[in-house]
Amino acid sequence: MEFPKTGQQCTIDDCKQLDFLPFTCNYCGDIFCKNHFHVTCHKCCKVIDNEADGTEKLTHFVCTKDECSEKSPVEMPCVKCKKHFCLIHRHHGCLELSTEQKLSELKKWEKPKQEFVNAKTVADKEIAKNLKKSQNSAMANKVRLMRLKSKSCGNNGIPADERCYFLVYYPINGSTKSSESSKGVFVSTYWSIGKVIDTIADLLKVPNNNNNTNAIKLRLFDYSTGNIVEDQMDTNLGKVIEAKTLFNGQDVILEYSNEKIIDCNLY
């Protein structure tokens, strides 16, 4: 299949071959294919005329390749070394990288490759560490929950599958003093946060003035962060657990505060 707009056709009438890399004769200026580019092949009229009147001698370009005596009237210089080579030796390795250049390029690629390997190793170790920590944390939570179940108090009328256990730390801002720093309790996952706080206050015998508009309210806070568990008293405990703000067996702080965070290091 030929592409008329690509390349040029050989000037020879009996050839007319479409050549993508045509040769231009230095003497007559016509276009020829690789089979007719030599002046003897297309019987260059300019060379014949010049030779006849003796005004000009034909110039031949000898291939630079060692042990090659191929001559050509058309110079085909290498784009890099600018030396002339015949068609057979036009790919003479001049454009190929030297051993030193190859090693240099290889080193350029080796550095980011090694950096990637090092970063991946660190990331893999961190992932494995976090996974192990997560697994250990989940196991620790199960063990803590089992211990809480054996020593927690609550309403025995709550079905076992509805119970949610907490280790509750006593408030330090009120006037109530206790010989214990914390106590295990269980409540129902179907209760609101307000009812959960009221029930825990009764179990710990802590004064509760949440119904008093002007009083500082009792709130539940996360023991590890000091953040309030939920500030909306009508929110269902089960929804808070589903949102993973709380989990069954968690340590919490019961404290008098209208703030959303307290200093958990005090407990």
Side-chain angles (χ1 to χ4, degrees):
M1 181 177 181
E2 294 185 345
F3 301 90
K5 295 183 180 180
T6 304
Q8 290 179 283
Q9 289 181 312
C10 180
T11 306
I12 300 297
D13 292 333
D14 296 336
C15 179
K16 294 297 182 181
Q17 179 180 334
L18 182 66
D19 200 319
F20 295 106
L21 295 173
F23 294 90
T24 302
C25 180
N26 290 345
Y27 299 95
C28 65
D30 289 335
I31 305 299
F32 299 96
C33 65
K34 65 180 181 179
N35 296 324
H36 298 112
F37 75 94
H38 197 281
V39 291
T40 58
C41 294
H42 66 267
K43 297 180 181 180
C44 184
C45 60
K46 293 290 184 181
V47 173
I48 294 174
D49 292 342
N50 290 336
E51 286 182 340
D53 59 20
T55 58
E56 183 178 344
K57 292 183 179 180
L58 180 63
T59 302
H60 290 286
F61 298 96
V62 181
C63 180
T64 308
K65 187 72 175 179
D66 295 339
E67 301 179 356
C68 180
S69 57
E70 181 72 21
K71 296 179 181 179
S72 171
V74 180
E75 186 179 17
M76 294 179 288
C78 172
V79 295
K80 184 175 182 181
C81 67
K82 308 302 180 182
K83 295 179 181 180
H84 168 78
F85 290 90
C86 66
L87 290 175
I88 297 176
H89 299 117
R90 64 188 182 277
H91 301 299
H92 55 280
C94 187
L95 297 177
E96 294 182 4
L97 297 177
S98 64
T99 303
E100 292 76 12
Q101 289 174 321
K102 289 179 180 179
L103 290 175
S104 177
E105 290 296 322
L106 184 61
K107 287 181 180 179
K108 290 180 181 179
W109 284 102
E110 284 295 332
K111 185 177 180 181
K113 179 181 177 182
Q114 188 60 44
E115 290 176 350
F116 172 78
V117 171
N118 294 339
K120 185 176 183 300
T121 301
V122 173
D124 288 344
K125 287 182 179 179
E126 190 66 23
I127 291 172
K129 180 181 177 181
N130 291 339
L131 181 60
K132 184 176 180 181
K133 182 178 179 181
S134 177
Q135 291 173 341
N136 291 339
S137 178
M139 180 59 68
N141 290 341
K142 289 182 179 180
V143 173
R144 180 166 54 247
L145 179 58
M146 290 175 62
R147 291 177 178 173
L148 273 176
K149 287 182 178 181
S150 64
K151 61 179 182 180
S152 295
C153 60
N155 185 343
N156 291 327
I158 301 174
D161 59 345
E162 295 180 10
R163 295 182 182 184
C164 185
Y165 293 81
F166 297 113
L167 180 63
V168 184
Y169 284 79
Y170 283 83
I172 60 176
N173 292 332
S175 58
T176 304
K177 302 296 180 182
S178 174
S179 58
E180 301 176 293
S181 61
S182 61
K183 188 172 185 177
V185 302
F186 63 86
V187 293
S188 173
T189 56
Y190 289 99
W191 292 351
S192 65
I193 292 296
K195 184 173 181 179
V196 168
I197 292 175
D198 292 342
T199 302
I200 292 176
D202 289 340
L203 294 172
L204 270 60
K205 295 182 172 52
V206 171
N208 180 11
N209 297 315
N210 282 5
N211 291 330
N212 188 335
T213 304
N214 298 323
I216 299 177
K217 311 299 181 182
L218 272 175
R219 296 286 187 265
L220 282 178
F221 298 88
D222 188 328
Y223 178 75
S224 60
T225 65
N227 293 322
I228 192 169
V229 168
E230 176 59 52
D231 57 355
Q232 299 297 321
M233 294 296 100
D234 58 346
T235 301
N236 184 270
L237 175 61
K239 291 184 178 180
V240 178
I241 294 175
E242 287 178 4
K244 297 184 179 179
T245 305
L246 280 175
F247 61 85
N248 196 359
Q250 187 170 343
D251 293 354
V252 295
I253 300 170
L254 182 67
E255 188 55 86
Y256 297 99
S257 177
N258 291 331
E259 304 296 330
K260 292 189 177 182
I261 186 170
I262 60 176
D263 188 355
C264 58
N265 296 316
L266 300 176
Y267 298 84

